[in-house]
Amino acid sequence: MDEMEQYRELFMTEAEEHLQSLNQNLVDLENCPENTDIINLIFRSAHTLKGSARTLGFEHISQLTHHMEDILDNIRDGKIPVNHEIMDLLFKCLDALETMVGEIANGENETTVDYESIIDIIKNLKNKHLGGNVENIGNSASPVPESTPSSEVSANVNSANAVANTVSCETNGNSVSVSNKQSYSLKNEKTVVIVEIKKDIDCNCEENEVSELDINEEIDVNSKIDKSNNDTDKNINTDNSKLNVPENIDEILAQMHQSSNTLCAISGALELPELQTSTKKISRFTKSVLDKKIDMDKDVLQMINKSLSIMNSIAKSIENKEEVQKYGNDDDINNLDNFVSQKVELKNSNVDTKEIEIENDIENDIVNGAFEEIEIEFDHTIFDYLKNLNKLAKEIDNNSNIWHIKSEIEEDCMLKSVRFTMLLNSLENDSDGKIIQSIPTNDDLKNVSYDNLDILYAYSGSEEKLESILNSACEMKYSKAVKVGIEINTDEIGNMTELTDSLDCNLDNKEISCDYKIRFSIDPECALKSVRAYMVLKDLSEIGAIVDSCPSFDRIKAGDSIINQVEVYFNTRADIDTVEDTIVKTPEIKNIDVTSNKKDNQSAIQNSSEDSDSEDSKSSGKSERKEGQSKKSESKKSQTVRVNIEKLDKLMNLVGEVVINRANFTQIATKYDLKELHNAVGRLNMLSTELQEEVMSMRMIPVAFVFNRFPRTVRDTARALNKEIDFIIEGSEIELDRTVLDELAEPLTHLIRNSLDHGIEHSEVRKQAKKPEKGLLKLIATRERDRVNIVIKDDGKGIDPDGIRNNVVKKGLMSRDEVDKLTDNEAINLIFLPGFSTAEKVSDVSGRGVGMDVVRTKIESLGGSVSVHSEVGKGSEIVLHLPLTMAIIQTLLVKLKDQIYALPLTSVLDVVSVNKEEINNLEGQEAIIYRDHILPVTWLCDALHQYNDCSSEEIYVVVVEKNKGKIGLILDEVIGRDEIVVKPLTGILKNINGLAGATILGDGKVALILDLNNL
């Protein structure tokens, strides 16, 4: 498993815990909206989930939880009330987060959840309650106002290849805060500008590079120039029809221009200044020809061919790692600028009454449709302002403006990262500017190629100078800058530290009176340092009072700082060991140093210093305490270990093999009756039993793992049914085997929804029945020896036996005569019939008649049973009887012919011996008199479709309990009670009715485990 996969698994485990905590706490918050402790718990879970998601790059989860935190923070500050609208939104966020986490568990990094629409709802809701007017500007397709650009936006910087008209779409009204403590605020979160960029030249060439051969094939100068053109220069310059100029000359020149720019960048990177100068000259030459500043003639065509030859030689030499500097000394290339100047003068001298100015080229292109308009959105929220708050405040104090620079590279640029790096270097080297943040960073550009670059830039120079820097960037589709309106609260920033630097706690200069001075550091690899520090300070505040800390408690609580160490001045009556233990229990805390300032401790130190130097004594004592603390910390950390469930299952299988071999040794000891062997087997039994119990306890999980998901189910179902419910959970600390617990969610969901829909009445009906308006629903877990009972109890209208009888007859499930013979309790148990429902119409909650049947089927497959108790008008109680585990069970071994079978002991009530004459036939059903009652009996050989050749007069009857009541099984022999390991059946035996599994006995024989409910 790679490292990323390990982090993903760890994230999944923690995310599921946080989501479960959020689910439970949100329900509690709805019931107790004034409880700030619940809000803090929710906020902590959301904050931790956001940090973990951001660390692993799950930005969709991080963004949604960030906006969810905004709502929680305003609730905590009393700005937004806790009402149904807010709670529905928070639950909607939670549902979306659960879906996203589930997608990550399935290996999907992208999400199908429309979380952006939820974020928009959050923004609108904040706007509604906080009185602001937040405009949704995130949709780039929205129409841009046809208005004159504002003064702020008019300062936007144009790129070398673009002439731009900019339009700012800013948020109106109150500034939008993105910090819990209002450390800063953005005047506008996004800005939209319209940019006119030059259209790409329509190039039909199949390859990006043009070789010298291509040009030679297109341009044969010596053979194509007409001799008559030599009469005058004017004729050569003006009569292109006599030159066989290729039709795609513009495409060739455009590719030459791009390639020369690329070679220029490579030459700069290789520190070859002469070669870089030559390639720049070629670039200027091709640009002049493209822009029609010089006319095409024989000399120009020859220079094009010469330039292309030089470029191809440079490229091949670089590729073959040969010497390239020699190509920087070509005389023709060195004189290229003079050549261009001469040709420009020649053209200007032949133009009558017209001057061609370079500055009008762009306007001519616009008129000719050479430009197209595109809309660019500057999302200012992508930058981490909180992390760079000190830098921003410092630059603003130095009269710098904060700019958002956005650049996009040309698609056919071969060295995109080099171009972006050159732009970053140009900006960084300017004495008036400072790069605050770039996305991607310079390091990222070294490893991956990017198409876009966003820069947060502080600049104190003129806008024209910044424009010039951006214009110097080559091969950019556009490169623009807009001002970022940011306001920083200097009062709040005073206590903050840079996230990239370690915290320097310097409270020693203060005279602070306290009982303990505490220092501790946080693991450098910890992803959520502020959360760990907050947990320590919160735990300390529960046993004493924090006098002062660095950083402050409020700053840590806000999560604004990532810190490496914390210093605390603390008052408490607790001793030093208690203080240390309180700190140690928080994970990822290291180098704990607790110094006592209490008078009794000081006097003890003075007394101990009589025989030694006091300074040595103190340092020695401190060292010993640190050593002891370190050991204590290690012992605390080793108490809890995460173990993959597959390893536990494998360990359980090995324990099962030990149990089987233990039975084998017991049989051998009994067979040979050796005292020493009996003693050894006795010790083996004791050790194996203890090992078995320990492993079983490792697999045991509190039922709260399942129970805690139902408050949300009750809340949502009650709202859908328009009922008011008090939901109480009891006994959630009772433990069950994981394999049993995993299967409980579905049947419990059916039972709870059934009680809410069919059992508990609406408030008006309860009033008339003189009941409390709110219905009461209880989910209770109790332990009885080797079984756990789970009770679902309500105070609703109960189950009417007569109503059940009528519904069964109406649905054609039984005849009237059959139901009339049933007792009330038997009639109530008809609710488990497949297809039966008391609902008058099918709804999202019930009415399809599958819920209760699913419940009984699932519970019986777990080796349990279901019982129902109800009283009309007072309520119902459904009890699930479950085994503690399904891995190792107690059974009664019986024999039929030569085959041994195992009956689960939880279903066995009694074993009796009867004569054949005592078996009577009553209306086609064999039965015996058992304790003055008629007990139906069946031959086990008949149930298993085996031939019955029993000739013995004395037979055994095992009384068992099935879902339809008691029944007696007639068999040949009862072997006795034994503990067995359940092995699942596979292949053709998997779906045979009446078989629940198999086991291996001590003598190596295989015994089948009977499923009595399906026998």
Side-chain angles (χ1 to χ4, degrees), residues 23 158 261 269 469 478 546 576 789 853 868 896:
N23 217 332
N158 301 329
N261 285 333
I469 296 174
Y478 62 81
I546 296 175
I576 191 170
N789 296 331
D853 175 47
V868 183
L896 183 65

Side-chain angles (χ1 to χ4, degrees), residues 837-899:
S837 176
T838 58
E840 296 180 359
K841 60 180 180 179
V842 176
S843 66
D844 292 338
V845 179
S846 62
R848 299 190 183 276
V850 295
M852 299 304 289
D853 175 47
V854 168
V855 170
R856 187 173 67 178
T857 303
K858 178 65 70 175
I859 299 302
E860 288 176 352
S861 70
L862 297 175
S865 60
V866 186
S867 60
V868 183
H869 310 281
S870 181
E871 189 174 348
V872 177
K874 292 187 178 181
S876 304
E877 180 179 289
I878 299 176
V879 184
L880 309 181
H881 308 276
L882 296 162
L884 283 175
T885 180
M886 294 176 61
I888 299 177
I889 62 174
Q890 295 287 338
T891 60
L892 181 69
L893 297 181
V894 298
K895 195 170 185 179
L896 183 65
K897 297 184 180 179
D898 295 329
Q899 179 64 47

Side-chain angles (χ1 to χ4, degrees), residues 507 510 512-514 516 518 537 545-553 566-571:
L507 294 178
K510 297 182 180 180
I512 301 176
S513 177
C514 63
Y516 296 100
I518 303 169
L537 267 61
I546 296 175
V547 179
D548 202 350
S549 68
C550 178
S552 68
F553 182 78
V566 178
E567 184 173 307
V568 184
Y569 289 82
F570 186 55
N571 282 337

Side-chain angles (χ1 to χ4, degrees), residues 120 151 173 249-250 283 384 399 429 444 524 572 592 603 669 704 724 746 894 936 973:
D120 289 338
S151 60
I249 187 65
D250 285 342
S283 175
D384 194 343
N399 297 321
N429 293 334
D444 293 335
T572 182
I592 302 169
S603 62
E724 296 185 35
E746 183 182 12
V894 298
E973 181 182 351

Side-chain angles (χ1 to χ4, degrees), residues 381-392:
T381 62
I382 64 174
F383 299 112
D384 194 343
Y385 299 98
L386 202 58
K387 178 178 179 180
N388 300 292
L389 212 52
N390 281 340
K391 292 180 182 178
L392 289 167

Side-chain angles (χ1 to χ4, degrees), residues 160-202:
N161 298 327
V163 177
N165 293 323
T166 63
V167 180
S168 173
C169 295
E170 299 182 359
T171 55
N172 300 320
N174 297 339
S175 62
V176 182
S177 172
V178 294
S179 171
N180 292 337
K181 290 297 179 181
Q182 307 295 325
S183 301
Y184 72 94
S185 61
L186 293 176
K187 292 182 180 178
N188 53 305
E189 291 185 349
K190 296 181 181 180
T191 303
V192 178
V193 300
I194 294 177
V195 180
E196 291 176 341
I197 64 171
K198 181 169 285 189
K199 292 182 180 178
D200 294 333
I201 297 174
D202 187 13

